[in-house]
Amino acid sequence: EDQVTQSPEALRLQEGESSSLNCSYTVSGLRGLFWYRQDPGKGPEFLFTLYSAGEEKEKERLKATLTKKESFLHITAPKPEDSATYLCAVQAPNSGGSNYKLTFGKGTLLTVNP
Amino acid sequence: EAGVTQFPSHSVIEKGQTVTLRCDPISGHDNLYWYRRVMGKEIKFLLHFVKESKQDESGMPNNRFLAERTGGTYSTLKVQPAELEDSGVYFCASSLWSGQPQHFGDGTRLSIL
């Protein structure tokens, strides 16, 4: 069974203090790894997709990287508006190849203080 | 472009009653997914439609849950009869192709009393 573990569960940063969030995964074969941002009372908002080890994607202050066992979401010089829960999810094919469901981690609650 | 919309945003019902949740995907998206998050747990997959066909319903918890997508547009998820453990937030997502990023609605918060 596919598993996704995110750490830390919660992270408090001062504005401008860079850090990284971790997503470790166990799958039989990775089709894609997805990062989402979720604000309170809202649905997950898509950020990045990573497909193969070594791949990197960037968007403003966020940079996602992927290895064969884990992904990191690096946050550079965060601002208070970056405060949210960050979710990691994997998509892996089953033996029939028809599996497109996302398996989520529990998320990391990021708080950036001004 | 309008996003995924879900209705209602919040529903409170008593145990044993029936509730129907609705999801309108992004226009043109053939793939529609239902997920659920119960308190303290991660978001979990329920089922996947491609147009009007159920591609994968491996996450449906039991036969009290019925999902439909007549005509391949909007989808409904009916819970009948509702039990206390069905409480949670039900999310719908859609994508153009099966392997593309899934875009989520804001969910329906379901409370069973």
Side-chain angles (χ1 to χ4, degrees):
Chain A
E1 187 175 320
D2 302 336
Q3 287 192 322
V4 178
T5 303
Q6 292 188 246
S7 62
E9 290 184 7
L11 180 64
R12 281 187 178 273
L13 300 174
Q14 287 299 121
E15 185 171 2
E17 179 186 2
S18 301
S19 188
S20 296
L21 313 182
N22 177 265
C23 171
S24 298
Y25 63 91
T26 304
V27 296
S28 55
L30 183 69
R31 179 179 277 132
L33 185 141
F34 301 79
W35 282 99
Y36 286 85
R37 168 194 171 125
Q38 186 173 24
D39 293 300
K42 299 291 187 179
E45 176 189 348
F46 171 71
L47 293 174
F48 305 108
T49 309
L50 302 167
Y51 294 104
S52 57
E55 189 175 0
E56 299 181 352
K57 293 273 180 74
E58 283 190 70
K59 180 180 179 180
E60 295 181 355
R61 295 176 291 283
L62 300 177
K63 178 180 177 180
T65 61
L66 182 66
T67 72
K68 288 185 178 180
K69 293 183 178 181
E70 57 192 348
S71 176
F72 291 94
L73 184 65
H74 307 278
I75 303 176
T76 302
K79 298 182 178 182
E81 53 261 42
D82 295 323
S83 297
T85 296
Y86 290 84
L87 299 168
C88 171
V90 297
Q91 192 179 63
N94 57 12
S95 57
S98 62
N99 181 8
Y100 291 94
K101 69 179 183 184
L102 294 178
T103 300
F104 280 88
K106 289 186 175 182
T108 294
L109 175 60
L110 174 67
T111 304
V112 181
N113 296 314
Chain B
E1 177 182 78
V4 176
T5 56
Q6 294 187 244
F7 183 83
S9 58
H10 196 172
S11 180
V12 181
I13 63 170
E14 293 188 350
K15 176 183 172 181
Q17 290 186 323
T18 297
V19 63
T20 300
L21 314 181
R22 172 169 169 150
C23 168
D24 287 73
I26 294 172
S27 178
H29 281 197
D30 286 339
N31 292 269
L32 188 149
Y33 308 80
W34 283 97
Y35 292 85
R36 175 175 74 171
R37 181 168 59 206
V38 298
M39 183 80 75
K41 300 280 191 177
E42 64 274 21
I43 297 172
K44 286 198 172 179
F45 168 80
L46 296 177
L47 88 160
H48 171 202
F49 282 102
V50 177
K51 296 185 180 179
E52 67 274 11
S53 299
K54 291 176 184 175
Q55 175 83 1
D56 179 357
E57 51 185 328
S58 62
M60 293 289 266
N62 52 61
N63 58 10
R64 295 186 293 103
F65 289 75
L66 175 63
E68 294 181 321
R69 193 183 181 195
T70 306
T73 54
Y74 72 91
S75 175
T76 58
L77 180 65
K78 180 190 288 188
V79 184
Q80 179 182 31
E83 298 289 344
L84 297 178
E85 63 265 25
D86 301 332
S87 294
V89 183
Y90 289 76
F91 291 104
C92 175
S94 72
S95 67
L96 188 59
W97 305 105
S98 295
Q100 284 195 328
Q102 297 172 24
H103 298 276
F104 284 76
D106 286 338
T108 293
R109 183 174 297 278
L110 179 62
S111 300
I112 313 298
L113 305 179

